[in-house]
Amino acid sequence: MHEESSKSEAFKKYTHSIIPNFIDFDKYPLLNRKEQNTKLNIDNGLKTLMFIAQDINNHRKGFDLLLTSLKNITEKVNIITIGGEKTPLNSNFNHVHINKIDKISELNAYYAASDLVLLTSREDNLPNVMLEAMANGTPVASFKIGGMKDWIIDNKTGILVDPFDADQFRKELEKFINGQVNFNHEEIYNYAKKNFDVNTNIEKIINLYKKILK
């Protein structure tokens, strides 16, 4: 939106600012990853991938694109899906599905237990899923769309794939599963805290309004 507005005849003459969506980090405390794996019964030495949406079968969220990517992956992994009715996956996956989560603390536990959160949306702005995952130091794999292409640093805070290339997405997942791509959880957390913390961004909003009202 920033890019399009900056180029438009109507708005390009105005100063533009970007203030991202934000979350309250106090509600998403850092948890011990190994402890959460044990509590959720997925402490089996396998990488854990997670996909979450209000309904995973919402076409906009692109779960069908993820299914295309997964069908040719032969490596054993844990896959957590959250939201709506369960969709069966290949038998080589240890598949855990939760229809609905109402408590932030429970949701936070799944983010902490995951090694990589998958965002295969066809359309999205700056989804809370990305912010919540990074608040736990968990990297995010996504197509290069919306706010994801602006805030995910490839191979640093996550993985970026050309839209909507399911085969490339598969290849990147395989690299991650096989240990060819690794992430520093602390660096991801610090990056998220710097950019998405509610207190930091409220201050930015206040300063922007003060500047406008001068």
Side-chain angles (χ1 to χ4, degrees), residues 167-214:
D167 190 55
Q168 185 189 356
F169 203 89
R170 171 189 62 80
K171 291 176 182 176
E172 294 300 325
L173 288 184
E174 287 178 329
K175 288 180 186 177
F176 176 77
I177 294 167
N178 292 324
Q180 295 172 257
V181 179
N182 295 290
F183 295 96
N184 185 307
H185 299 298
E186 185 177 355
E187 285 184 7
I188 295 172
Y189 169 81
N190 290 336
Y191 174 81
K193 180 73 173 174
K194 177 182 177 181
N195 290 289
F196 307 130
D197 180 61
V198 60
N199 296 314
T200 300
N201 285 289
I202 284 178
E203 188 66 27
K204 289 180 181 178
I205 293 172
I206 291 171
N207 290 334
L208 178 61
Y209 273 97
K210 286 179 178 179
K211 183 178 179 180
I212 293 170
L213 293 172
K214 280 185 179 179

Side-chain angles (χ1 to χ4, degrees), residues 49-75:
L49 314 179
M50 175 173 141
F51 183 94
I52 178 172
Q54 184 178 15
D55 182 352
I56 62 173
N57 294 306
N58 181 335
H59 182 72
R60 182 173 64 84
K61 293 298 183 181
F63 188 62
D64 58 312
L65 298 172
L66 177 60
L67 290 177
T68 301
S69 299
L70 293 177
K71 70 180 181 181
N72 291 317
I73 292 179
T74 58
E75 291 85 350

Side-chain angles (χ1 to χ4, degrees), residues 65-184:
L65 298 172
L66 177 60
L67 290 177
T68 301
S69 299
L70 293 177
K71 70 180 181 181
N72 291 317
I73 292 179
T74 58
E75 291 85 350
K76 291 186 178 294
V77 292
N78 301 314
I79 295 186
I80 299 169
T81 53
I82 300 174
E85 296 302 314
K86 183 176 182 177
T87 297
L89 300 180
N90 293 350
S91 59
N92 58 305
F93 299 134
N94 177 31
H95 185 195
V96 178
H97 180 77
I98 302 92
N99 290 62
K100 184 179 180 182
I101 291 179
D102 294 316
K103 296 180 179 178
I104 291 178
S105 58
E106 184 180 352
L107 175 61
N108 199 44
Y110 282 100
Y111 281 121
S114 301
D115 296 299
L116 184 68
V117 169
L118 312 176
L119 263 174
T120 50
S121 300
R122 289 181 167 88
E123 297 177 358
D124 243 322
N125 180 20
L126 191 64
N128 278 357
V129 168
M130 184 179 76
L131 311 190
E132 292 163 354
M134 289 185 177
N136 246 297
T138 303
V140 177
S142 171
F143 294 124
K144 297 176 185 175
I145 65 165
M148 285 82 86
K149 69 177 181 180
D150 295 327
W151 294 101
I152 294 176
I153 303 173
D154 199 24
N155 293 327
K156 291 290 185 182
T157 62
I159 298 168
L160 285 173
V161 176
D162 294 334
F164 297 96
D165 192 333
D167 190 55
Q168 185 189 356
F169 203 89
R170 171 189 62 80
K171 291 176 182 176
E172 294 300 325
L173 288 184
E174 287 178 329
K175 288 180 186 177
F176 176 77
I177 294 167
N178 292 324
Q180 295 172 257
V181 179
N182 295 290
F183 295 96
N184 185 307

